[in-house]
Amino acid sequence: MRTQVGIIGAGPSGLLLARLLHLQGIESIIVERQSKAHVLGRIRAGVLETGTVELLREAQVAHRMDRDGLIHDGFNLAFDGRRQRIDMAHRTGGKHVMIYGQTKVTEDLVEAHLGAGGQIFYDAPAVGVEEYSTDRPRLIFDKNGRHQEIVCDFVAGCDGYHGVARQSVPGNQITLFEKIYPFGWLGILSDVPPVQDELIYANHERGFALCSMRSPTRSRYYIQCDLEDRVEKWSDDAFWDELRRRLPADVAEQVTTGPRLEMSIAPLRSFVAEPMRFGRLFLAGDAAHIVPPTGAKGLNLAASDIYYLSRALIAFYKEKRVDLLDRYSAAALRRVWKAIRFSWWFTGLMHKYDDDPISHRLQVAELGYIAGSAAAQTAMAENYVGLPYEDFT
Ligand code: RFL
Ligand code: PHB
């Protein structure tokens, strides 16, 4: 098989890249390890930055998002029995975020890409990328028990943290930075109305909690849990009880409970691989970096990588330019590191790390400072809505 851009992974980054390239007449083939039903069944992120929303509009997959997505101008910090609203719109000159689940983003992208004749091989794990230092890299994958090969101009590794693209590069050519946090998030999805119409991030002596949502009738809640915790140990009632304990009393009494649609545990990690380009192999999204979910940045970073990578590939095919391909890794990484820093800082501010009482007092002092400082609220708001993409023309 032969294509222009071989893409590993049909998550948001691979699909968005395929879609943006297709709209410019550039062909691609996506190979995806999992089945279509598996990929479309995953519950993940829920908050889209302005830049992500604009990119989805550019990809012409925004119809349902613009109809059903919820625009949020603010979010709330709960601590020490009180609440502080961070007014994102006021602090950033009118910017906001869109609440629209990653599951739906993925559905919209798949539907548009397949509808336009795009090629996705499901149940087709890539096993390696070869000859990426030449101008004919080869993507090797398995389908129906057989090794197959796609000869490409470029390969995009959009295959997540456990993918093979990054692992195809010898260890001495890549630098990895990693931090594992000593806790995870236990999440529930339930068809109950959200407790409030905006998100609440709660710092509590028992641990962090988050009130989020997918729609006016579907809620997503999280509580900090131990790394050794298992979903099987948590009944729905135990989850709701623990959530309510960690929220301010007036919020806790408003929580509507219901049976789970899904419950899962996610470990928290910060991870960056440098560089993000190896000859004609490019890494994007979770394949190159992971953030703890506290800042809601994972999916948004995948989108900003694709913003840079799609422009670089389009400039190559349309204008025979290689300068943007050369600049891709550094430009993407500058934005990645800022989001890594924000997510690490916000995680540190909100979670219980140990039983030392000074730790909690210091967090409450910092949250109190934020509550009283326009400068601190502006810093939080501009990071949360998403830092601007740099000029890449
Ligand atoms: P994805 O979505 O992981 O997609 C990668 C795709 O590559 C496939 N794959 C392969 N395909 C072919 N051959 C191989 N050898 C392959 N190896 C892997 C995988 O099956 C998959 O379909 O990465 P992408 O596209 O870069 O998108 C990134 C986002 O998905 C990710 O950053 C966020 O979902 C992170 N994340 C969250 N972010 C948030 O902002 N808020 C959240 O609440 C949130 N919750 C989560 C999350 C990530 C999770 N993971 C990765 C376990 C919850 C979980 C459980
Ligand atoms: C979610 O709704 O899943 C969500 C929202 C905000 C976060 C993380 C996850 O920071």
Side-chain angles (χ1 to χ4, degrees):
M1 265 177 273
R2 174 83 182 89
T3 194
Q4 290 178 303
V5 183
I7 299 175
I8 313 177
S13 49
L15 290 165
L16 185 56
L17 178 63
R19 182 79 193 138
L20 291 168
L21 295 178
H22 171 81
L23 292 173
Q24 298 296 325
I26 300 164
E27 65 171 48
S28 65
I29 298 177
I30 305 182
V31 300
E32 164 60 50
R33 175 167 54 192
Q34 304 287 357
S35 68
K36 187 176 173 190
H38 179 101
V39 173
L40 294 178
R42 289 190 298 224
I43 313 292
R44 289 185 175 176
V47 179
L48 307 182
E49 296 173 349
T50 315
T52 307
V53 166
E54 279 166 12
L55 204 56
L56 292 169
R57 289 191 185 128
E58 183 184 318
Q60 297 175 18
V61 291
H63 178 73
R64 195 163 61 137
M65 175 188 76
D66 283 327
R67 190 192 63 199
D68 297 344
L70 308 173
I71 288 177
H72 281 198
D73 287 334
F75 63 92
N76 298 275
L77 300 172
F79 62 101
D80 204 23
R82 54 191 279 227
R83 245 176 309 158
Q84 175 64 44
R85 179 168 190 264
I86 305 294
D87 189 334
M88 291 185 276
H90 172 61
R91 300 285 172 205
T92 63
K95 291 197 182 141
H96 48 248
V97 294
M98 173 87 83
I99 305 299
Y100 189 68
Q102 176 170 336
T103 314
K104 288 192 174 168
V105 171
T106 310
E107 270 173 22
D108 296 344
L109 283 163
V110 168
E111 193 179 302
H113 192 55
L114 293 178
Q119 264 190 297
I120 309 176
F121 290 113
Y122 286 100
D123 298 304
V127 293
V129 183
E130 294 179 358
E131 315 235 355
Y132 56 80
S133 306
T134 72
D135 60 5
R136 284 287 172 275
R138 287 182 295 129
L139 195 176
I140 319 295
F141 69 104
D142 280 345
K143 183 74 188 163
N144 303 326
R146 268 196 330 119
H147 262 19
Q148 310 213 26
E149 160 177 315
I150 310 174
V151 179
C152 315
D153 296 340
F154 299 95
V155 175
C158 301
D159 49 352
Y161 180 71
H162 299 287
V164 298
R166 194 179 69 242
Q167 286 159 27
S168 302
V169 177
N172 62 2
Q173 290 177 30
I174 190 162
T175 308
L176 306 179
F177 302 84
E178 184 155 39
K179 179 173 176 57
I180 312 260
Y181 297 83
F183 39 74
W185 278 19
L186 174 67
I188 198 170
L189 186 72
S190 183
D191 270 337
V192 290
V195 64
Q196 268 214 352
D197 54 8
E198 290 182 341
L199 271 61
I200 306 172
Y201 290 84
N203 170 291
H204 192 274
E205 272 166 323
R206 296 178 66 90
F208 169 74
L210 170 60
C211 308
S212 182
M213 66 197 72
R214 290 292 175 273
S215 74
T217 55
R218 181 168 287 185
S219 299
R220 180 76 164 156
Y221 291 101
Y222 297 94
I223 52 175
Q224 176 181 350
C225 65
D226 291 338
L227 277 178
E228 305 75 46
D229 238 326
R230 293 286 162 263
V231 170
E232 306 76 61
K233 290 199 333 213
W234 286 85
S235 65
D236 291 355
D237 284 345
F239 181 93
W240 294 117
D241 287 345
E242 187 57 31
L243 174 74
R244 282 185 293 219
R245 276 189 208 110
R246 299 182 187 188
L247 299 175
D250 60 321
V251 179
E253 69 190 25
Q254 301 278 329
V255 172
T256 309
T257 64
R260 76 182 77 176
L261 296 170
E262 191 253 12
M263 191 187 267
S264 56
I265 292 181
L268 268 64
R269 178 194 312 272
S270 297
F271 168 79
V272 183
E274 289 185 350
M276 287 169 61
R277 181 233 180 136
F278 307 88
R280 287 196 169 216
L281 168 63
F282 294 82
L283 303 181
D286 278 16
H289 41 74
I290 298 284
V291 284
T294 324
K297 294 292 171 227
L299 171 60
N300 293 299
L301 281 181
S304 62
D305 288 352
I306 296 306
Y307 171 88
Y308 294 123
L309 184 55
S310 61
R311 273 149 180 78
L313 290 167
I314 292 164
F316 175 85
Y317 284 109
K318 299 263 167 190
E319 304 168 56
K320 297 192 167 57
R321 284 172 57 188
V322 294
D323 58 317
L324 293 186
L325 293 168
D326 291 341
R327 283 168 50 201
Y328 166 70
S329 174
L333 280 166
R334 275 191 288 274
R335 193 168 189 282
V336 164
W337 274 111
K338 288 178 196 150
I340 290 272
R341 186 219 56 92
F342 176 68
S343 306
W344 160 80
W345 168 79
F346 197 17
T347 300
L349 181 66
M350 302 306 291
H351 290 74
K352 178 184 170 103
Y353 280 73
D354 55 41
D355 290 319
D356 189 340
I358 194 176
S359 308
H360 188 242
R361 287 287 197 285
L362 287 167
Q363 290 176 332
V364 169
E366 185 166 0
L367 284 158
Y369 162 69
I370 292 167
S373 161
Q377 288 177 38
T378 302
M380 258 201 112
E382 65 190 9
N383 277 281
Y384 197 86
V385 298
L387 297 174
Y389 299 174
E390 60 184 73
D391 180 38
F392 201 64
T393 47

